[in-house]
């Protein structure tokens, strides 16, 4: 391989890393936006729930809050998934106690000292690679995770 070839292949590799980084960053931005949107929606639903409860109590009617509660549960589920994806992308976990961002692999939170619950891992059925729970494809062999 000539020096020129070496140089240009090295440059391509750097280019690929930068492209992947840019992708990660735009994905992070997208997830952060989605999280903010869903948090706003949740706040809105909580307000509605409070208002409906208050009105029912005031009129002495039985309160019917099932629908609202169900809606908030759905939003909570979405928020949990979005937060999980964002954390995986950033290589961090959130402290269950104080919510601080903690580097992956930490055993204790540097902010509050709480013990960090380790994210559950799953194994690829084909090659046995260890994967983050929620992975959709194996990072070693590309098999779809059921
Ligand atoms: Zn903490
Ligand atoms: Zn695999």
């Amino acid at each position: 391989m000539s020096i020129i070839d070496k140089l240009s292949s090295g440059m391509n590799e750097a280019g690929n890393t930068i492209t992947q980084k840019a992708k990660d960053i735009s994905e992070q931005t997208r997830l952060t936006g989605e999280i903010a949107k869903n948090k706003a929606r949740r706040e809105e639903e909580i307000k509605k729930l409070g208002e409906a409860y208050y009105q029912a109590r005031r009129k002495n009617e039985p309160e019917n809050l099932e629908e609202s509660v169900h809606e908030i549960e759905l939003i909570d589920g979405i928020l949990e998934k979005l937060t999980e994806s964002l954390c995986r992308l950033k290589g961090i976990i959130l402290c269950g106690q104080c919510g601080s961002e903690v580097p992956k692999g930490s055993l204790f939170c540097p902010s509050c000292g709480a013990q960090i619950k380790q994210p559950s891992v799953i194994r690829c059925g084909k090659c046995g690679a260890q994967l983050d729970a929620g992975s959709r494809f194996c990072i070693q062999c590309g098999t779809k995770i059921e």
Side-chain angles (χ1 to χ4, degrees):
M1 201 188 253
S2 75
I3 287 184
I4 304 277
D5 282 343
K6 265 187 198 159
L7 276 178
S8 66
S9 85
M11 257 155 47
N12 275 339
E13 266 167 41
N16 285 338
T17 318
I18 289 165
T19 318
Q20 185 55 43
K21 273 219 175 99
K23 261 193 209 154
D24 281 358
I25 286 168
S26 74
E27 179 66 3
Q28 277 186 32
T29 313
R30 190 187 70 81
L31 286 169
T32 310
E34 284 290 305
I35 289 172
K37 236 188 341 195
N38 278 284
K39 276 192 176 158
R41 249 180 80 203
R42 187 182 193 280
E43 231 164 80
E44 203 54 37
E45 286 299 324
I46 293 274
K47 256 190 233 163
K48 266 198 240 167
L49 181 73
E51 180 66 22
Y53 180 73
Y54 169 68
Q55 291 298 345
R57 286 296 296 266
R58 206 170 72 113
K59 295 177 195 153
N60 234 341
E61 286 168 1
E63 62 265 16
N64 181 15
L65 308 171
E66 280 312 303
E67 215 173 293
S68 250
V69 170
H70 186 65
E71 186 70 28
I72 296 167
E73 270 175 358
L74 280 181
I75 299 174
D76 276 346
I78 296 171
L79 272 172
E80 205 175 300
K81 283 215 181 84
L82 287 170
T83 311
E84 239 182 61
S85 310
L86 184 61
C87 286
R88 200 177 314 139
L89 214 57
K90 286 168 126 183
I92 52 153
I93 26 184
L94 292 182
C95 169
Q97 186 89 14
C98 72
S100 290
E101 295 185 353
V102 180
K104 226 179 187 170
S106 308
L107 296 180
F108 295 94
C109 171
S111 298
C112 73
Q115 199 167 358
I116 302 297
K117 208 176 107 225
Q118 297 304 313
S120 39
V121 288
I122 50 172
R123 275 181 190 283
C124 168
K126 194 173 175 197
C127 74
Q130 253 190 28
L131 308 164
D132 286 343
S135 303
R136 285 190 291 163
F137 293 93
C138 174
I139 51 168
Q140 299 284 352
C141 70
T143 301
K144 192 161 195 267
I145 308 296
E146 302 297 344

